[in-house]
Amino acid sequence: MSHLVDASGARTHKSSSEPALDSVSDRLRTALSFEANKPDSKDFPDLSSPVSPLPTRPAATSSSSGSSGSVSGKPASHADSKRSDLGLSGRRSHSGELLLAPNEPIPGAMETRSSKPGHRRSGSVPLIYTGGSFSSGSTSGSGSGSSSASSPVTNVLPSGNICPSGKIVKTGMMSRSAVRADVLGSGTGNYGHGNIVRGGTNGAGGGKPPEVVASNGVDSALRRAMVSMDPEEVKRVGNEQYRKGQFAEALKLYDRAIALCPDSAVCRSNRAAALTGLRRLGEAVKECEEALLLDPAFGRAHQRLASLLLRLGQVENARRHLVSAGPHPDPVELQKLQAVERHLNRCADARKFGDWKTALKETDAAIAEGADSSLLLMASKAEAHLRLHQLEEADLAISAASKLESLSSSSSNSKFFGMLSNSYMYVVRAQVEMVRGRFENAVAAAEKARQVDPGNVEVSMMLNNVRSVSRSRVLGNELFNSGKFVEASLAYGEGLKYDPSNPVLYCNRAACRSKLGQWEKTIEDCNQALVIQPDYAKALLRRAASYTKLERWTEAVRDYEVLRKELPGDTEVAEALFHARVALKTSRGEEVSNLKFGGEVEEIKGFEQFQAAITLPGVSVVHFMVAFNHNCNQITPFVNALCTRYPSVNFLKVDVNAIPAVGEAENVRMVPTFKIYKNGAKVKELICPNQQALEYSLRHYGL
């Protein structure tokens, strides 16, 4: 008996409501009514739909992105044409200085130079569809008149004047000297579908997409700048690339400018900005320092360096350069610095008193306030996790600190919690490596800490401890492998004198004591290891085995159940759990004669056998099926695999055609159907489940 289940779903209805196209002439009048010096504020219109509205953009003056013939007729000043810096609020202390802060948003609009000096024009030009083709708002030519019409949303396009050449002409919108042609490229659907392309000569299929033209223009400008002998021109193009977020290209241009003018502090500072954009903070710090060597009074370099040092967590150095930036330090940077400093002081106080939860909280707060690239704070976070016995989190934090190491300025001699900054990071790394059982790595990190800070007493003591622990572990392993369990146990104990919070040494000593039959002492060592590292599977397994030896079945079953969830594919753990459960039931006087471990899926032959099988202690999975049914045959191999993977679970199969009484009693209406019973009670029913759902339910109820 096989049934197909239809997957029903609500039918979705997509409603589209697009604004009606305004009349072209109305939009033209609106555009012309805007004040001439208003900057562009809209992006290029969406061309994904052939009938999407294509609004005109107001003309702008040369101070923003005006065309070569602005509506106002007001020419750009000569001073504007000479500027090559990216100023903030009109401030400039050095010609060509890049005044964008490292974390300021980068303008994304691409700009190209117009045919007249002193004017710039936006690379994105509004296109107007007038019934024949698309045209930019700056195309020159002759023609007059335009009809005003209100177009419906779909399949109707506004009318306009079409010249024989296919170009659209709007008087008063362009200069005679800059002729632009925007045509509609070939598409795959009705007219209106396709790519809008500039500079085309043949209409459909002619020309290149605007992004290709723009890219070629940018490439050409970059090539010219890279061979230019004018450092100001190279720097100007570099500033343009920086503003567009093209930090790698900007860096190349600043390198070129520095090669032409090696004594330019501005170029050095701008190079630091590009390096910051590439997250090469350590190199950016060095560039700012080079700029200050060339010009010690360069305020912008001081401010940029202060911002970098704050991100690296070097508060005192950051404060010094922020004050040197000028009589009025940047209030935003000053506020960030004070917040980071406040959280660091609280973290230091909590560390002195061993309040590691507060230390962790304050460390996270300092990172959030602005020290987002500080390897010292990440190391502090790792130390707090380590003291809280959160070893996995400590390992992740110290790994993150190692990745940030390349960003830090290696020449820093600042102190952190009484140690040199880099020395503190190596100290914490050595501690984490040792607790995780990577003793050789721990010794290497401790030796690096000593090299960085040779006069620090705490660092020297830590190095001696790490070496002693490592030697004890090596000696203990050699003695254990030689069968000298008493001596090995003493060697591991010697290592615990230097590092009393090392779970690996406790677990290794527990292994020695289990070999000697010292079950109670084995459990004590495993308890110590699990307090430090709660997910230490090896310690949990040794403790469970010791409970079994002492016939403490309740504790043994509890540990084996935890291990079964962590190691679902481990058949040895599954078998140990099964035998511990049987022993526990026996100790309670319960019936265990029908319990079995592993085997194949049991086929049910009659109603009485079925009733007896589902009332067995433990978990039983019943597969209700029909012979030669396609869906049942598909899932049967997976059920057999589950039987092998979960040997402590009873797997049964019932052919409802062969034993209709069972199917009727269980109200089976569709196959394959699975029912899960636990200690005789049904806990779950699945009708035509997929493999993932079946195994998920089995693990949920069976482990």
Side-chain angles (χ1 to χ4, degrees):
M1 175 176 61
S2 176
H3 301 266
L4 294 176
V5 180
D6 294 333
S8 60
R11 181 174 299 177
T12 58
H13 298 276
K14 182 178 179 182
S15 61
S16 61
S17 57
E18 299 181 1
L21 290 170
D22 296 331
S23 117
V24 175
S25 59
D26 289 343
R27 286 181 287 150
L28 181 59
R29 286 193 296 271
T30 302
L32 291 174
S33 66
F34 286 150
E35 54 186 281
N37 62 348
K38 184 175 180 180
D40 292 338
S41 61
K42 292 186 179 180
D43 296 328
F44 192 74
D46 181 16
L47 300 178
S48 60
S49 169
V51 293
S52 297
L54 299 171
T56 59
R57 293 174 60 182
T61 67
S62 60
S63 63
S64 59
S65 59
S67 63
S68 58
S70 65
V71 174
S72 64
K74 197 173 180 181
S77 66
H78 181 69
D80 286 344
S81 66
K82 294 288 186 180
R83 290 185 61 183
S84 62
D85 61 310
L86 309 180
L88 288 175
S89 305
R91 295 180 289 109
R92 183 177 62 165
S93 59
H94 286 69
S95 175
E97 177 194 344
L98 187 62
L99 292 184
L100 288 176
N103 57 354
E104 290 179 73
I106 306 300
M110 181 173 61
E111 296 183 355
T112 56
R113 294 179 62 86
S114 68
S115 58
K116 290 186 178 182
H119 292 260
R120 292 187 300 171
R121 178 169 57 205
S122 171
S124 296
V125 181
L127 305 181
I128 306 173
Y129 186 88
T130 56
S133 66
F134 284 95
S135 173
S136 68
S138 61
T139 306
S140 66
S142 60
S144 61
S146 67
S147 61
S148 175
S150 177
S151 304
V153 175
T154 60
N155 296 333
V156 179
L157 299 173
S159 61
N161 296 325
I162 307 175
C163 292
S165 64
K167 301 177 182 177
I168 309 305
V169 177
K170 293 295 178 183
T171 58
M173 293 294 290
M174 71 299 289
S175 68
R176 298 283 181 180
S177 60
V179 179
R180 299 282 300 274
D182 297 301
V183 298
L184 186 64
S186 59
T188 58
N190 296 328
Y191 182 77
H193 294 268
N195 298 323
I196 307 302
V197 292
R198 284 198 188 91
T201 57
N202 299 322
K208 298 180 180 179
E211 59 270 18
V212 175
V213 176
S215 176
N216 290 342
V218 171
D219 291 343
S220 177
L222 287 174
R223 286 195 298 269
R224 288 196 301 270
M226 289 303 296
V227 298
S228 174
M229 299 301 294
D230 182 2
E232 288 298 320
E233 174 64 15
V234 175
K235 182 171 55 182
R236 182 191 64 77
V237 178
N239 291 352
E240 290 178 357
Q241 294 302 307
Y242 179 90
R243 295 171 75 176
K244 296 169 188 175
Q246 303 297 327
F247 303 121
E249 287 76 6
L251 182 61
K252 294 177 183 177
L253 290 162
Y254 294 141
D255 288 340
R256 171 69 177 167
I258 291 172
L260 295 172
C261 187
D263 295 333
S264 172
V266 174
C267 290
R268 291 285 184 180
S269 179
N270 286 6
R271 188 174 191 273
L275 287 167
T276 302
L278 294 170
R279 289 193 55 80
R280 292 159 60 178
L281 305 190
E283 296 176 66
V285 168
K286 292 178 181 178
E287 282 301 318
C288 288
E289 292 171 347
E290 288 291 334
L292 291 173
L293 287 176
L294 295 170
D295 185 357
F298 191 1
R300 185 58 187 172
H302 279 293
Q303 182 174 337
R304 180 164 284 134
L305 182 54
S307 177
L308 288 165
L309 293 173
L310 181 60
R311 292 184 65 183
L312 296 174
Q314 300 177 22
V315 176
E316 291 302 323
N317 290 339
R319 183 192 303 279
R320 179 165 55 86
H321 286 286
L322 191 61
V323 171
S324 301
H328 304 290
D330 187 324
V332 175
E333 289 296 318
L334 183 60
Q335 184 178 5
K336 286 167 59 178
L337 186 147
Q338 292 170 345
V340 171
E341 185 178 39
R342 181 170 61 252
H343 291 300
L344 279 177
N345 290 336
R346 292 174 181 172
C347 178
D349 292 339
R351 186 175 182 270
K352 289 178 183 177
F353 294 104
D355 184 1
W356 296 107
K357 288 185 178 179
T358 300
L360 180 60
K361 176 184 175 183
E362 295 299 330
T363 299
D364 285 334
I367 293 172
E369 287 289 351
D372 59 346
S373 300
S374 172
L375 70 87
L376 300 176
L377 286 175
M378 289 306 298
S380 174
K381 188 173 182 177
E383 183 184 28
H385 281 304
L386 183 63
R387 303 305 179 193
L388 293 170
H389 303 316
Q390 299 168 353
L391 303 192
E392 190 69 29
E393 292 82 355
D395 212 354
L396 292 173
I398 201 64
S399 296
S402 300
K403 293 177 181 177
L404 291 172
E405 188 174 0
S406 62
L407 302 181
S408 179
S409 177
S410 59
S411 62
S412 173
N413 292 319
S414 60
K415 294 266 186 165
F416 198 76
F417 297 149
M419 295 178 240
L420 289 179
S421 301
N422 292 342
S423 177
Y424 170 75
M425 193 272 295
Y426 287 125
V427 166
V428 176
R429 181 187 293 177
Q431 294 173 347
V432 174
E433 296 283 10
M434 192 161 56
V435 170
R436 299 297 280 177
R438 301 186 289 259
F439 293 93
E440 292 79 7
N441 294 348
V443 172
E447 289 174 346
K448 286 184 178 179
R450 176 69 179 274
Q451 291 172 4
V452 173
D453 197 358
N456 190 291
V457 177
E458 184 178 352
V459 172
S460 298
M461 290 180 59
M462 188 271 303
L463 175 58
N464 292 333
N465 288 347
V466 171
R467 284 174 174 171
S468 298
V469 172
S470 180
R471 284 195 299 265
S472 298
R473 178 249 187 180
V474 171
L475 177 60
N477 288 355
E478 291 175 354
L479 293 169
F480 184 89
N481 293 332
S482 300
K484 300 177 181 180
F485 304 120
V486 175
E487 294 83 353
S489 178
L490 293 174
Y492 293 132
E494 189 68 20
L496 286 168
K497 293 179 182 179
Y498 298 99
D499 185 11
S501 298
N502 194 294
V504 176
L505 295 181
Y506 279 116
C507 192
N508 286 4
R509 192 170 69 174
C512 296
R513 289 175 168 176
S514 67
K515 290 290 186 180
L516 296 170
Q518 301 173 353
W519 310 117
E520 293 289 355
K521 290 185 176 181
T522 300
I523 292 172
E524 290 176 5
D525 279 345
C526 290
N527 287 341
Q528 289 291 335
L530 290 167
V531 166
I532 301 168
Q533 187 175 346
D535 61 346
Y536 200 170
K538 190 177 291 186
L540 193 62
L541 185 61
R542 290 202 172 114
R543 188 175 72 175
S546 298
Y547 282 139
T548 299
K549 293 295 184 179
L550 295 172
E551 296 186 359
R552 294 167 60 174
W553 304 115
T554 301
E555 292 91 337
V557 168
R558 181 192 61 205
D559 283 353
Y560 280 127
E561 285 177 342
V562 174
L563 285 165
R564 189 78 179 100
K565 291 180 180 179
E566 293 181 1
L567 307 169
D570 194 318
T571 56
E572 292 183 4
V573 171
E575 186 172 3
L577 174 59
F578 172 78
H579 290 303
R581 282 173 172 171
V582 170
L584 178 61
K585 292 178 184 296
T586 302
S587 67
R588 294 173 177 174
E590 300 177 9
E591 177 62 37
V592 296
S593 59
N594 292 326
L595 289 178
K596 64 181 180 66
F597 176 77
E600 298 178 352
V601 178
E602 181 181 354
E603 184 176 358
I604 300 299
K605 301 292 186 179
F607 188 80
E608 293 76 11
Q609 181 189 1
F610 171 75
Q611 289 281 45
I614 64 174
T615 55
L616 288 173
V619 176
S620 299
V621 177
V622 184
H623 176 199
F624 295 94
M625 41 78 68
V626 171
F628 307 112
N629 177 271
H630 176 70
N631 294 334
C632 295
N633 292 339
Q634 272 194 326
I635 203 167
T636 293
F638 182 69
V639 176
N640 294 335
L642 291 178
C643 183
T644 303
R645 209 149 57 225
Y646 301 90
S648 61
V649 176
N650 298 318
F651 285 86
L652 315 168
K653 65 179 178 180
V654 178
D655 189 331
V656 294
N657 280 352
I659 316 174
V662 175
E664 292 175 4
E666 293 296 313
N667 195 29
V668 177
R669 295 287 179 265
M670 189 175 297
V671 293
T673 291
F674 292 86
K675 294 189 179 184
I676 301 176
Y677 299 84
K678 193 166 188 176
N679 298 324
K682 185 178 75 173
V683 293
K684 184 70 174 178
E685 179 175 354
L686 301 98
I687 300 174
C688 300
N690 58 32
Q691 295 180 3
Q692 292 80 5
L694 179 58
E695 184 165 15
Y696 174 82
S697 298
L698 179 59
R699 293 186 62 182
H700 179 73
Y701 293 102
L703 298 181

